[in-house]
Amino acid sequence: MPFPPAEFLCGISNTLIAEERSYDIQTMIAEHQQLHSTLNRDQTVVYNSIIESVHNKSGKFFFVHGSGGCGKTFLWRTIISKLRSERKIVLPVASSGIAAVLMPGGRTAHSRFKIPLDVDEHSSCGVKMGTDIAELLQNTDLIIWDEAPMQKKYAFEALDRALRDIRGNISEDNRLKSFGGITVVLAGDFRQILPVVEKGNRHDIVSACVNRSYLWDQVTFYTLKQNMRLKRGNTEQLNNDIDEFSKWVLDIGEGRLSFISDDDPNKDPEVVIPQKFVIPCTNNPLSDIVDIVYPNIECNFKDHRYLRDRAILAPTNKVVDELNENIMDRIPGEEQVYLSVNSIDEGPVNETELNSAFPEEFLNSIDMSGLPKHKLKLKPGVVVMLTRNINQAFGLCNGTRMVVKKMFKWTVECEIITGSHSGSRHIIPRMITTPCDNNSKWPFIFKRKQFPLQVCFAMTINKSQGQSMEKVGLYLPNPIFCHGQLYVAISRVTSPEGLHIMLGDGINYTKNIVYEEVFYNLPTE
């Protein structure tokens, strides 16, 4: 967007504040008028409350609850354009990179507020007084944090403590206010996947949620009910089918359809899947679901829209790898294999002893979450997903789906096929990655240099959160294993006709894990 006149920024030495006030007023006014005119009733109520809190400097704390596709991102764009047209500073953030890039100027919360990746009750934000980011936070009018339920409560508490300290320099009263007196809006869906707690049980996971924080007593809660993602039909019958599907998805998410087997009352609850969504099981179920979700992929793999609008979901990385390998074999073209370079820090042990204890073959075999694979196979036209944040301003964040265009020895050229940056091409380099939980699992610091890419015709259910597609195949040779996975998977589609589920032979039911207690202190809708 055009930068404002020099006289407006005269005296502003903080580049972060200048950046947040660099939006063209007329553009923001026009965008706001267009967006505001199409808000539905629920969105308008939330909009008015948030704008009023900002204008009155009330510093209220809101939570906006709603299923995927209910128009939360559209609401954020409307609020952001309104406040930025008034030269107010809005910081839109999200718990995931995919959700962050959907908002204008969005960033991940961890990068914006310097929150530690491994956060606990003693963590604090790495924002120092007197820095540009501290001054930016002193002048901030609104913070919007999307996909909040997937983040541990300690992240919000760390931000609360940091803002009280930073803004306490403006007024001592701010030290007594939540988030230092800034209006804060959290949003998300507690039916979706909750915070990841390593080796945590059900109680640990629910206790880590934001609605178990001391901040929750001060929240003003709103619910968006109308699903905007599901495409409406041209007839009353089609619209009735869509309404029925929407209700079924919500019932799955809240565990209302689950039943416990009489044969084994200790088993996890299960749910019956309507027959119209179930793919008949044959001797080769993996190939069958590929044929349904990616028909004639040998001819269609060069069509970016074809690739963008479909994906196969599965609970585990092992199954996802099998699916991707099956599809890769069908795509014509020469395959290129990239091998990683692995190393470990010497520490108190010399290099000879390290090489003896941990040979190269062992290091190559290490495969864990957040770490690229040692062996990466690519072809031109293959769909890949970025596995780490590189530059969110250009749409290069963890979860971005791209197509491989050219392969070189040290770099790969890819084109983004999803989001607002669709069509842009970028050179992806090899990067050094260290596992976040490295210190707790290994007696050394492990590093892997590899492209931050993974083949992505199929992806895990957890990775699909925040994405929407016209055709989704859910492959369940093994059932889901945590709260919200089944709900997230079936709610990725834009129409009931796009959902296809592969279960076991002759089976029409599957496991559905829902932690009902996470909803206990949410206002009834």
Side-chain angles (χ1 to χ4, degrees):
M1 294 183 181
F3 207 73
E7 57 269 21
F8 177 81
L9 297 178
C10 182
I12 297 180
S13 59
N14 187 320
T15 55
L16 291 178
I17 294 178
E19 178 184 343
E20 290 301 326
R21 289 177 173 165
S22 65
Y23 298 91
D24 180 70
I25 291 180
Q26 296 305 318
T27 301
M28 291 290 98
I29 290 174
E31 181 177 342
H32 172 258
Q33 289 175 342
Q34 177 186 0
L35 297 173
H36 185 264
S37 63
T38 55
L39 293 177
N40 62 37
R41 186 180 63 84
D42 291 339
Q43 290 171 324
T44 301
V45 171
V46 178
Y47 170 91
N48 290 336
S49 296
I50 294 172
I51 295 297
E52 180 184 5
S53 176
V54 172
H55 284 167
N56 295 337
K57 299 186 181 300
S58 304
K60 290 186 177 180
F61 176 34
F62 299 95
F63 192 97
V64 180
H65 190 250
S67 60
C70 68
K72 294 189 294 292
T73 303
F74 186 88
L75 176 59
W76 308 149
R77 289 175 55 204
T78 309
I79 293 171
I80 291 169
S81 61
K82 168 65 174 176
L83 296 177
R84 284 179 175 167
S85 72
E86 300 171 351
R87 290 296 182 214
K88 296 187 182 298
I89 293 180
V90 184
L91 300 184
V93 300
S95 298
S96 67
I98 283 296
V101 298
L102 295 177
M103 296 186 288
R107 294 271 299 275
T108 58
H110 284 79
S111 65
R112 170 60 82 185
F113 303 126
K114 313 300 181 187
I115 301 172
L117 291 177
D118 189 14
V119 65
D120 58 32
E121 64 267 33
H122 305 296
S123 297
S124 60
C125 298
V127 179
K128 296 181 180 179
M129 295 298 297
T131 60
D132 281 2
I133 180 64
E135 188 178 347
L136 174 67
L137 293 172
Q138 287 179 337
N139 289 273
T140 295
D141 298 284
L142 174 66
I143 293 173
I144 299 174
W145 189 329
D146 205 0
E147 298 287 0
M150 67 185 294
Q151 187 58 251
K152 293 179 182 177
K153 65 182 180 183
Y154 303 126
F156 308 102
E157 294 172 1
L159 178 61
D160 174 56
R161 291 191 294 270
L163 292 178
R164 288 175 191 248
D165 287 342
I166 291 169
R167 291 174 60 84
N169 289 344
I170 302 174
S171 169
E172 280 297 322
D173 290 343
N174 289 335
R175 298 187 189 277
L176 305 176
K177 299 177 181 178
S178 298
F179 301 104
I182 297 177
T183 298
V184 172
V185 182
L186 306 186
D189 186 356
F190 284 98
R191 306 177 193 95
Q192 295 191 5
I193 297 166
L194 300 177
V196 175
V197 178
E198 187 176 3
K199 297 181 181 178
N201 56 28
R202 178 170 179 159
H203 170 76
D204 297 329
I205 294 171
V206 173
S207 296
C209 292
V210 63
N211 61 336
R212 295 302 188 272
S213 168
Y214 64 79
L215 294 164
W216 195 254
D217 292 338
Q218 304 164 55
V219 77
T220 300
F221 193 90
Y222 290 104
T223 301
L224 300 180
K225 301 186 179 99
Q226 184 176 343
N227 194 309
M228 314 291 283
R229 174 181 292 165
L230 294 174
K231 297 179 179 178
R232 310 302 294 180
N234 297 323
T235 66
E236 183 178 353
Q237 180 59 48
L238 285 174
N239 287 330
N240 289 339
D241 291 343
I242 291 171
D243 291 338
E244 181 183 342
F245 177 71
S246 180
K247 183 179 183 304
W248 177 71
V249 170
L250 292 178
D251 287 344
I252 293 288
E254 296 174 7
R256 288 198 288 260
L257 300 179
S258 301
F259 67 90
I260 298 176
S261 172
D262 294 333
D263 298 333
D264 187 357
N266 295 319
K267 284 179 61 178
D268 287 314
E270 295 173 318
V271 63
V272 174
I273 304 297
Q275 200 61 42
K276 59 183 176 182
F277 299 130
V278 178
I279 302 173
C281 194
T282 65
N283 293 330
N284 198 342
L286 189 146
S287 291
D288 288 345
I289 194 167
V290 171
D291 291 335
I292 289 175
V293 178
Y294 290 100
N296 301 316
I297 190 170
E298 300 87 348
C299 304
N300 294 321
F301 75 97
K302 293 183 179 180
D303 184 347
H304 289 186
R305 181 174 179 179
Y306 169 91
L307 297 174
R308 179 195 68 203
D309 291 340
R310 63 196 69 221
I312 303 175
L313 310 181
T316 63
N317 282 308
K318 181 180 179 182
V319 175
V320 165
D321 291 342
E322 293 175 357
L323 287 161
N324 283 323
E325 188 172 342
N326 181 289
I327 299 173
M328 278 275 289
D329 291 340
R330 302 184 184 207
I331 294 179
E334 184 177 351
E335 181 179 271
Q336 189 160 335
V337 178
Y338 294 96
L339 301 179
S340 69
V341 177
N342 302 307
S343 62
I344 53 182
D345 281 2
E346 296 181 19
V349 185
N350 64 47
E351 185 176 355
T352 302
E353 292 174 330
L354 278 175
N355 291 336
S356 174
F358 306 107
E360 182 180 353
E361 292 77 13
F362 167 73
L363 298 180
N364 293 344
S365 69
I366 293 178
D367 185 12
M368 66 177 70
S369 177
L371 200 66
K373 295 186 180 301
H374 166 63
K375 181 182 290 187
L376 176 65
K377 300 178 182 179
L378 297 177
K379 290 180 182 179
V382 164
V383 179
V384 292
M385 176 181 285
L386 199 60
T387 58
R388 65 174 292 175
N389 295 322
I390 296 179
N391 190 326
Q392 295 170 36
F394 292 99
L396 297 174
C397 62
N398 188 353
T400 299
R401 297 176 75 200
M402 305 181 289
V403 168
V404 174
K405 305 304 291 186
K406 296 179 182 179
M407 298 177 294
F408 306 101
K409 185 175 182 179
W410 306 113
T411 60
V412 177
E413 182 181 353
C414 299
E415 181 176 327
I416 296 177
I417 61 172
T418 57
S420 58
H421 297 275
S422 178
S424 61
R425 293 195 182 191
H426 304 274
I427 299 296
I428 308 299
R430 294 177 186 259
M431 306 182 76
I432 295 177
T433 303
T434 300
C436 297
D437 56 356
N438 185 77
N439 294 331
S440 62
K441 287 186 179 252
W442 306 99
F444 52 78
I445 298 177
F446 178 68
K447 297 180 180 179
R448 170 166 290 170
K449 189 174 185 179
Q450 178 62 290
F451 294 105
L453 301 171
Q454 65 183 40
V455 179
C456 190
F457 294 102
M459 69 181 89
T460 61
I461 296 172
N462 291 35
K463 274 290 187 182
S464 73
Q465 189 161 306
Q467 314 221 19
S468 61
M469 289 154 280
E470 292 185 2
K471 182 173 284 192
V472 170
L474 178 55
Y475 186 53
L476 296 174
N478 301 305
I480 55 96
F481 55 85
C482 75
H483 169 93
Q485 277 191 321
L486 183 60
Y487 169 76
V488 168
I490 64 176
S491 62
R492 297 307 92 200
V493 289
T494 57
S495 67
E497 294 76 20
L499 180 62
H500 307 276
I501 303 176
M502 175 69 76
L503 303 169
D505 187 17
I507 297 175
N508 68 337
Y509 57 88
T510 188
K511 186 185 296 185
N512 181 36
I513 299 177
V514 177
Y515 298 163
E516 295 92 345
E517 58 269 35
V518 80
F519 306 120
Y520 287 171
N521 65 345
L522 303 185
T524 56
E525 301 177 8

